[in-house]
Amino acid sequence: MRLVHHSASADGDCIATTVDVADSFLSRARGLMFRRSIPDDYALAFPFGEPKSRTLHMLFVPFAIDAVWLHDGEVTAVKRLRPFVGIGRGRGDVVVELPAGAAADVEPGDRLDFLATDGTTVVPG
C-alpha cells in the first residue's frame, strides 16, 4: 500500500511507499514505541472508524515524526512531534505517523489517499 498526497499545488505525490496499519488494540497501543528509527518512505496508519479528537504521545519514541489527522481522507491537522516529549491532538477517523519532514507540504484541506498495489483507493483497517 502507498500513501499519496493531493493538494491544490501538487497532485499525486507519493509520501510513503510502505504503509503499515495498526488495526488491533496492541498495535495501536505500541505504535512506534521502542523502535530506533523508521525508513524515509514509511507510514503507520491508525484507523478508528469514527471521527473524534485523537491524542498522540511520543513516550519511548526516540525520533521526531510528522503526525497527520484525517477525516474521510481530508487532512484536518498536521503536527511535528518531538522525540520522547511530543504530544499532538487533532480530530479524525485515521491518524498517520510519518518520518519527520515527510508531511512538510501537507496542509489542512489536502487529501491523503491509501492506494493498493493495483492503484485502487483503499480504506485502512
Side-chain angles (χ1 to χ4, degrees):
M1 184 172 8
R2 297 179 293 132
L3 185 60
V4 178
H5 173 223
H6 302 277
S7 69
S9 62
D11 201 31
D13 292 337
C14 184
I15 60 174
T17 57
T18 302
V19 179
D20 285 336
V21 179
D23 56 0
S24 70
F25 175 79
L26 186 59
S27 63
R28 283 188 191 119
R30 183 170 185 253
L32 296 175
M33 291 192 310
F34 309 112
R35 297 186 195 195
R36 292 179 181 237
S37 65
I38 54 175
D40 291 340
D41 64 344
Y42 180 81
L44 180 60
F46 296 81
F48 292 101
E50 64 181 63
K52 67 182 212 179
S53 183
R54 311 275 176 198
T55 302
L56 296 179
H57 67 81
M58 294 294 288
L59 189 63
F60 301 115
V61 181
F63 50 88
I65 67 167
D66 287 347
V68 181
W69 287 261
L70 306 171
H71 179 231
D72 290 336
E74 183 177 328
V75 176
T76 60
V78 181
K79 185 166 184 182
R80 172 82 41 92
L81 302 180
R82 295 182 345 193
F84 296 109
V85 296
I87 296 176
R89 171 171 275 188
R91 183 172 178 80
D93 54 8
V94 175
V95 179
V96 181
E97 296 179 344
L98 299 151
D105 296 330
V106 178
E107 298 178 0
D110 291 354
R111 287 199 56 80
L112 292 184
D113 290 326
F114 297 90
L115 300 180
T117 55
D118 65 1
T120 58
T121 303
V122 295
V123 177

